[in-house]
């Protein structure tokens, strides 16, 4: 199975059976992601080197306007797409097998977690996984220590307050915060 075929399967949202070929490809890609993130996180890199490493990690060319303060962690990388002028602060953890799309002009605070996989609810199938994408619009500000769960879409211009756990969609130009995140105000 190619990486492109894997991504197509993950983007269907259908459950992934533990031990299946898709699950095995997921494991192979996680090994590659660990190799690249170890390189990224364990020595100093110029801006251009960071862009190159992130391009290798994602399998697509990252825009030169991208910026990051490592460390950065992911267990796949290949289902992560980012727009222009994206900034990711240190300590972020993206579980992108289910798909993460980040728009233009997005600021991601320290220690943000984006999770796109759920395990099966049935205890007898607990090793199975269900991919659910996260979509982040343009000009979004994600505060420090925010967790965004699978299936969430964040509208353009929204703000996710520090420490929020975002479990459902966020309307454009809305500030949300808390656990679980709730609307604080519109801007």
């Amino acid at each position: 199975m190619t990486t492109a075929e894997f991504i197509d399967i993950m983007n269907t949202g259908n459950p992934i059976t533990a031990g299946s070929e898709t699950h095995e490809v997921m494991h192979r890609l996680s090994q590659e992601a660990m190799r690249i993130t170890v390189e990224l996180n364990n020595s100093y890199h110029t801006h251009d080197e960071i862009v190159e490493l992130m391009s290798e990690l994602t399998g697509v060319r990252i825009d030169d306007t991208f910026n990051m303060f490592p460390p950065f962690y992911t267990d796949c990388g290949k289902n992560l797409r980012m727009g222009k002028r994206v900034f990711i602060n240190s300590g972020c953890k993206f579980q992108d097998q289910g798909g993460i799309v980040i728009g233009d002009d997005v600021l991601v605070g320290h220690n943000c977690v984006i999770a796109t996989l759920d395990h099966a609810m049935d205890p007898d199938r607990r090793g199975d996984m269900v991919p659910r994408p996260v979509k982040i619009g343009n000009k979004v500000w994600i505060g420090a220590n925010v967790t965004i769960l699978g299936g969430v879409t964040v509208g353009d211009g929204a703000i996710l307050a520090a420490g929020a756990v975002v479990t459902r969609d966020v309307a454009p130009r809305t500030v949300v915060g808390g656990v679980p995140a709730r609307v604080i105000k519109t801007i």
Side-chain angles (χ1 to χ4, degrees):
M1 174 183 305
T2 67
T3 300
E5 290 169 333
F6 168 78
I7 291 171
D8 287 344
I9 290 168
M10 296 306 286
N11 289 344
T12 67
N14 293 327
I16 306 303
T17 302
S20 67
E21 181 183 8
T22 304
H23 188 248
E24 289 173 14
V25 172
M26 185 183 299
H27 178 72
R28 177 178 53 80
L29 292 174
S30 70
Q31 297 303 302
E32 181 180 335
M34 283 190 285
R35 179 187 57 76
I36 297 167
T37 55
V38 163
E39 169 68 21
L40 176 69
N41 295 335
N42 289 300
S43 64
Y44 172 78
H45 295 285
T46 66
H47 170 264
D48 292 344
E49 291 169 336
I50 289 172
V51 169
E52 288 303 319
L53 285 164
M54 288 299 290
S55 295
E56 181 183 359
L57 180 67
T58 62
V60 297
R61 179 73 189 157
I62 298 295
D63 194 83
D64 287 336
T65 60
F66 171 79
N67 210 337
M68 169 189 287
F69 290 165
F72 173 78
Y73 305 94
T74 184
D75 50 6
C76 184
K78 299 300 189 237
N79 209 0
L80 171 60
R81 300 293 174 259
M82 291 184 278
K84 297 178 181 177
R85 297 170 302 280
V86 171
F87 173 71
I88 299 175
N89 221 320
S90 62
C92 292
K93 299 166 185 75
F94 290 7
Q95 179 197 50
D96 65 286
Q97 288 96 334
I100 297 173
V101 176
I102 299 175
D104 296 336
D105 302 299
V106 173
L107 304 174
V108 182
H110 291 89
N111 302 314
C112 175
V113 173
I114 302 177
T116 65
L117 285 178
D118 288 329
H119 285 279
M121 295 291 284
D122 180 352
D124 295 330
R125 306 289 317 172
R126 192 60 44 88
D128 295 356
M129 290 166 277
V130 181
R132 296 178 34 202
V134 169
K135 297 175 184 164
I136 299 170
N138 299 319
K139 299 182 180 179
V140 171
W141 175 16
I142 301 171
N145 297 304
V146 167
T147 298
I148 303 171
L149 299 182
V152 168
T153 297
V154 179
D156 293 345
I159 297 173
L160 312 181
V165 176
V166 184
T167 61
R168 54 189 156 179
D169 291 352
V170 178
R173 300 183 64 88
T174 302
V175 180
V176 300
V179 179
R182 292 185 288 230
V183 174
I184 296 172
K185 65 179 174 180
T186 56
I187 49 176

